[in-house]
Amino acid sequence: MYKLLSTLLFTFFMANAIAQNTMRPLDSLIVKDEPAWPIVKGWIDSATNKVQVLPADTSKSKNALYETQVTTRSPMGAVIYHTGGILVDNGWIRILGSGHKNLSRSLPDWNKGRSYQESGERPLFMLVADDAIGGFFAINGGKFGFNQGNVFYLAPDNLQWEDLEINYTDFLLFCFSGDIKGFYEGQRWEGWEKDVPKLGTNKVYSFTPALWLRPEREEGQRAKKAVPVEEQYKIMMDMRKKLKLE
């Protein structure tokens, strides 16, 4: 039920909620019937991967929910309203919520200037998470041309937006209990479990040579340094344009 509802609500959000530059009031977004948080919390409680929920600040969560224009009946709305963000595998994956001192980027703040410029605009994609090696997860709202509602991954080893063929709900389930080790096979190094928590959630590792230049090279043979996540995102976007991938 929630998998279908997640896709339907996001499609409604993308196509209708702000298509005419109208913003639904906050009280229409915070629902009392069939809220998604108890379901999401259940997934977290039974997770097989390491999951850390950052607590939400009420004022920040209300503002983030309003800016994003999704309801708490959807898993995305539940994550935004009830968490400051969610860290998976020692912070290897950062799922964006309403912001927290340990993950200061809220979902709407991170998207503003990237997927949209001003509140009320219709975004063609929505950045929802990123990882420690500079990969970015986004929900497709039409930018990628097909499979709207699916989560796409901007892979740092080829600079392509790859369709993961799952929606936001399935993405959460993957993060909580999926094969993360298999997904990142060959991209983790010995000792990453100790390195990543020290990195912080607003930085990612930049590698030399870049992953997209030498994807076959072993991680242990690369130099790496921490850079701001916004810097890495810009570098990847600029490189995509240079390579005419946009």
Side-chain angles (χ1 to χ4, degrees), residues 28 32-33 67 73 84 89 108 147 149 171 202 204 230-231 235 238 241 245:
S28 71
K32 295 183 179 180
D33 59 311
E67 290 292 323
R73 187 176 289 117
D89 257 12
N147 292 344
F171 172 68
N202 293 316
V204 300
E230 60 268 21
E231 178 181 320
I235 288 172
D238 290 345
K241 290 180 180 178
L245 298 175

Side-chain angles (χ1 to χ4, degrees), residues 1 3 12 26 28 40 45 58 65-67 89 93 98-99 104 111-112 115 120 123 138 152 180 198 206-207 215 227:
M1 171 185 170
K3 294 181 182 181
F12 176 81
L26 181 64
S28 71
V40 176
D45 291 343
T58 302
L65 189 70
Y66 176 74
E67 290 292 323
D89 257 12
I93 296 177
S98 55
S104 61
N111 277 275
K112 194 169 186 177
S115 67
F152 281 64
I180 294 178
K198 299 175 185 177
S206 174
F207 297 91
V227 300

